[in-house]
Amino acid sequence: MSEPNGVTGTTRLAAAVRDMWGELSASERVVAQYLVSAPPENLLFASAQELGAASGTSNATVVRALQRLGYAGLPALKRELAAGFTSATAPEERLKQRIARVGHDLDEIKDRVFDEAAERLEQCRRLLETDVLKQAVQTLADAREVVAYGVGASELAARHLVLKLRRAGRRARFIGATGFTMADELLSLGRGDAVVILHPGRRLREFTVLTDRARAVGAGVVLVTDVPTGPLATHADVVISAPHTPTGITAESLAGIVVMDTLVLALASLDEPRAVEASHQLTLLRGQLIDRRSEPRPRKS
């Protein structure tokens, strides 16, 4: 995501610390001083626990300080810092730096991956307000058909949603086309449908065309995105924030998949008989696809 007027994640952090200094507690000031003095690349690969240890405070103090400074959490700070880092550094160089930061110790690698995943999911949970979830679930519940759109790494979460919706007895289809091919996919989109867009924050023309088409035909739009205040959000009925990875250590679609699981389970709870019947039919069909002749026969005693 590009920064306006040359403002970088580093300068924004420094400005936030300066503006909020009088509102910070003594321990939060210690965290703030450490954040503005540390190299940005060090912050990118650090967990809240590591930042707490490095600043002589605690992970809880780090999280409180960041929230006081206007960040939703550590992943939000990392995303802003990563914007300048990723635009100025080649992908292969970023990979080298990730490996250099993590090292070769297996326990360290495990901790890095799980810590980042936990931070992203916790931020996602905190940002997903009950009223927003309720509105998103109702939009999908009222839909004649749910259309999930995702490209690149976001395709995984979109396909995951479609699979689970079908297993819950809902009509759903996936779109992942780009360019002229996408036009054919949009022809059957109509009034009463709902579109779920997995939007990674990249400015692709396809996202705008899809939302415009949905608005034109009377379909609802649920936007799941890393940039909930971006231009695309103004054209959606519901906007859900799903923080992406600022480092590339964890899967980009991780938060999106968990959001999809939440939506489907909530939908199933609204119409339990439909979900149960769909599960029953799925079990019957799977049984018909099993070749019993290939199964080992029990031995006679």
Side-chain angles (χ1 to χ4, degrees):
M1 183 176 66
S2 61
E3 298 287 352
N5 303 321
V7 176
T8 66
T10 303
T11 56
R12 161 144 161 46
L13 172 61
V17 170
R18 183 181 62 250
D19 295 342
M20 295 299 299
W21 185 258
E23 306 295 325
L24 301 178
S25 67
S27 58
E28 289 168 351
R29 288 182 178 182
V30 173
V31 172
Q33 286 180 321
Y34 177 79
L35 294 177
V36 295
S37 63
E41 56 271 23
N42 286 5
L43 301 180
L44 275 178
F45 298 99
S47 66
Q49 184 174 358
E50 289 171 331
L51 292 177
S55 60
T57 58
S58 67
N59 59 335
T61 304
V62 170
V63 173
R64 286 198 305 271
L66 288 171
Q67 292 175 341
R68 186 88 70 171
L69 294 172
Y71 297 95
L74 182 55
L77 170 63
K78 288 182 177 182
R79 184 170 66 84
E80 290 199 2
L81 295 175
F85 177 70
T86 55
S87 62
T89 310
E92 60 272 19
E93 185 59 32
R94 297 200 300 269
L95 176 59
K96 289 180 182 178
Q97 293 193 27
R98 283 201 298 270
I99 295 174
R101 294 288 174 183
V102 174
H104 300 282
D105 182 81
L106 292 182
D107 285 333
E108 177 70 12
I109 291 172
K110 178 187 67 177
D111 289 344
R112 291 282 183 175
V113 173
F114 278 82
D115 284 347
E116 181 177 292
E119 287 171 358
R120 289 176 61 197
L121 293 181
E122 181 55 37
Q123 182 183 357
C124 187
R125 171 164 48 183
R126 189 168 60 249
L127 294 175
L128 183 53
E129 298 177 353
T130 302
D131 289 344
V132 173
L133 176 60
K134 182 178 180 180
Q135 188 179 358
V137 171
Q138 195 60 54
T139 300
L140 301 189
D142 294 340
R144 177 184 67 92
E145 181 178 59
V146 175
V147 177
Y149 183 75
V151 294
S154 298
E155 178 179 331
L156 182 62
R159 288 190 179 276
H160 180 70
L161 173 63
V162 170
L163 176 66
K164 298 202 72 172
L165 283 175
R166 288 173 175 172
R167 290 178 175 178
R170 304 278 176 172
R171 287 186 56 184
R173 64 186 175 99
F174 165 78
I175 297 179
T178 56
F180 279 3
T181 308
M182 185 181 184
D184 294 282
E185 299 283 2
L186 298 183
L187 281 175
S188 59
L189 185 65
R191 180 174 296 278
D193 291 339
V195 178
V196 178
I197 302 175
L198 280 299
H199 180 238
R202 301 181 186 92
R203 295 182 178 179
L204 299 180
R205 177 66 178 165
E206 284 79 357
F207 293 115
T208 303
V209 172
L210 176 55
T211 53
D212 288 348
R213 177 65 177 176
R215 295 270 70 87
V217 302
V221 176
V222 176
L223 179 66
V224 181
T225 179
D226 185 40
V227 283
T229 58
L232 201 64
T234 60
H235 300 285
D237 298 298
V238 188
V239 180
I240 296 176
S241 180
H244 285 192
T245 173
T247 63
I249 290 176
T250 53
E252 183 176 296
S253 58
L254 174 64
I257 289 177
V258 174
V259 169
M260 298 304 103
D261 285 334
T262 305
L263 292 174
V264 174
L265 183 57
L267 272 173
S269 71
L270 287 181
D271 194 345
E272 183 178 345
R274 177 194 291 197
V276 171
E277 176 60 22
S279 179
H280 174 64
Q281 292 298 325
L282 180 64
T283 301
L284 291 178
L285 289 170
R286 285 173 170 171
Q288 295 174 23
L289 293 169
I290 296 175
D291 186 356
R292 302 294 182 183
R293 296 171 299 177
S294 63
E295 293 182 350
R297 294 182 179 180
R299 293 181 178 180
K300 294 181 180 180
S301 57

